Amino acid sequence: MQENTLKIAIQKSGRLSEQSIALIKECGIHFNNAVGKLTASANNYPVEILFLRDDDIPGYVTDGVADIGIVGENVLLEKQASVITILQLGFGKCRLSLAVPKALEYNGLKDLAQHKIATSYPNILSDYLKRNNIEATIHEISGSVEIAPGIGLADAICDLVSSGSTLLSNGLKEVETVLKSQAVLVANNNLSVAKAQQLDDFLFRIKAVQAAKNNKYILLNAPNTAITEIIDILPGIKSPTIVPLADSGWSSIHSVVNENEFWQIIDKLKAAGAQGILVVPIEKMIV
Ligand code: PRT
Ligand code: ZN
């Protein structure tokens, strides 16, 4: 193994696995992720991938068994790992929330004082309760937290929520958000110079993939008389490209726009005279 080979820990199987693998592959790194494998090496990049349980990733990165890792902020905070958070990755989004039985009248956090709260996140919850000056009993359980109130184990729960349907089907209502979380890239505190340089290169690729995902290449036709107005509407990275069409008096205008902004400006573009608008995905974007 070369001295700059980055060992990257990702979740073996679970909610973050597919997108972690996809991100590495979109960075142009080829590896074989056959089911059941514990590690994989890339054949075109100095990287070795370790497939682990998400709970173990902060520890492995802290200890240097892995150099970097992809893990949810919720797990990272709960494990109180001493690693560096490099980048938020925009997937695995969820929130750690407090929830109580639907029928219970809830007027604020003080209602939970002296009550029992079941959670798999005792550290984050205890910190949150302390910050809010609430004394409650934390009952740590490792799974199926949402059934705790129903079986009389606790008065409330603190668990991850994404769509909210698990809470709903267990007769619970979400009352407070304790933490917002998403997958992040973390790194060991003491990377060698060679590995730190390799991490910079890897980050450059990730950022190009992220920028491409958030942006679209837009092409449209417009009468030359409308060009100035259309350029003012387009937020593009620099000034747009303008190519004359065979039909004299008309041009094709090309630019890059943020996908969210695109939906806001589409009507303005049409009103300004834009026709034949094409929006195409960008594979990589180096800004
Ligand atoms: O086996 P391993 O230990 O690796 O996996 P795991 O079972 O501990 O974790 P996994 O795969 O369930 O989740 C991995 C990470 O995904 C979490 O640490 C979060 O960072 C993130 N994530 C995003 C979620 C959710 N969304 C999520 N909805 N993790 C769990 N859930 C669960 C939640 O606990 C609850 O049971 O989904 C249910 C709620 O979902 P909704 O959509 O019904 O609200
Ligand atoms: Zn886990």
Side-chain angles (χ1 to χ4, degrees):
M1 198 181 289
Q2 301 161 29
E3 60 167 340
N4 61 342
T5 299
L6 280 177
K7 283 181 281 175
I8 171 166
I10 64 171
Q11 194 187 20
K12 182 171 163 47
S13 80
R15 289 170 194 262
L16 303 182
S17 310
E18 206 176 295
Q19 279 164 293
S20 302
I21 289 169
L23 177 65
I24 298 171
K25 292 197 166 171
E26 281 161 358
C27 287
I29 299 169
H30 301 154
F31 65 97
N32 179 354
N33 56 301
V35 185
K37 282 184 79 171
L38 299 179
T39 64
S41 294
N43 54 26
N44 63 345
Y45 199 77
V47 75
E48 186 186 3
I49 295 133
L50 316 180
F51 301 97
L52 300 168
R53 283 202 57 193
D54 68 344
D55 314 71
D56 296 333
I57 293 175
Y60 275 74
V61 176
T62 306
D63 298 345
V65 176
D67 301 306
I68 58 175
I70 296 178
V71 68
E73 288 171 305
N74 51 308
V75 174
L76 195 61
L77 261 175
E78 182 58 29
K79 300 285 176 194
Q80 302 173 331
S82 117
V83 296
I84 308 169
T85 299
I86 307 278
L87 195 65
Q88 291 190 314
L89 297 172
F91 60 85
K93 286 189 177 170
C94 56
R95 52 200 186 273
L96 185 64
S97 291
L98 283 164
V100 298
K102 228 180 297 176
L104 196 92
E105 198 188 319
Y106 180 86
N107 298 305
L109 206 49
K110 60 177 181 0
D111 290 2
L112 294 180
Q114 313 309 329
H115 285 64
K116 209 178 198 187
I117 310 173
T119 188
S120 311
Y121 294 87
N123 290 327
I124 299 177
L125 177 59
S126 144
D127 191 51
Y128 175 80
L129 293 175
K130 255 183 229 148
R131 271 188 282 127
N132 287 282
N133 292 317
I134 302 291
E135 274 195 38
T137 308
I138 297 175
H139 188 85
E140 182 179 353
I141 46 178
S142 59
S144 304
V145 175
E146 64 281 356
I147 64 167
I151 59 171
L153 197 66
D155 307 299
I157 66 161
C158 176
D159 199 14
L160 296 177
V161 182
S162 43
S163 68
S165 66
T166 303
L167 292 183
L168 201 68
S169 59
N170 284 280
L172 300 169
K173 62 180 175 191
E174 193 176 353
V175 291
E176 306 284 349
T177 304
V178 173
L179 173 82
K180 283 191 174 161
S181 176
Q182 62 177 284
V184 285
L185 184 74
V186 294
N188 174 274
N189 269 313
N190 301 303
L191 288 184
S192 67
V193 173
K195 288 192 181 197
Q197 279 170 355
Q198 199 57 51
L199 175 57
D200 275 347
D201 183 87
F202 184 48
L203 272 178
F204 179 79
R205 293 187 183 206
I206 293 181
K207 285 180 181 163
V209 170
Q210 285 187 328
K213 275 200 182 137
N214 295 335
N215 288 280
K216 298 279 177 256
Y217 194 73
I218 176 169
L219 306 92
L220 56 87
N221 295 335
N224 290 343
T225 48
I227 290 177
T228 320
E229 191 183 345
I230 286 177
I231 289 175
D232 281 347
I233 300 168
L234 285 171
I237 30 178
K238 273 199 186 142
S239 60
T241 306
I242 299 173
V243 186
L245 292 181
D247 191 350
S248 69
W250 281 76
S251 296
S252 172
I253 302 175
H254 304 188
S255 189
V256 172
V257 290
N258 183 288
E259 185 163 30
N260 298 328
E261 285 174 345
F262 169 74
W263 293 109
Q264 288 162 16
I265 62 172
I266 180 80
D267 288 335
K268 284 191 203 162
L269 289 174
K270 284 202 288 195
Q275 293 183 9
I277 302 172
L278 289 181
V279 179
V280 291
I282 299 170
E283 198 179 288
K284 304 281 186 299
M285 183 166 149
I286 320 295
V287 286

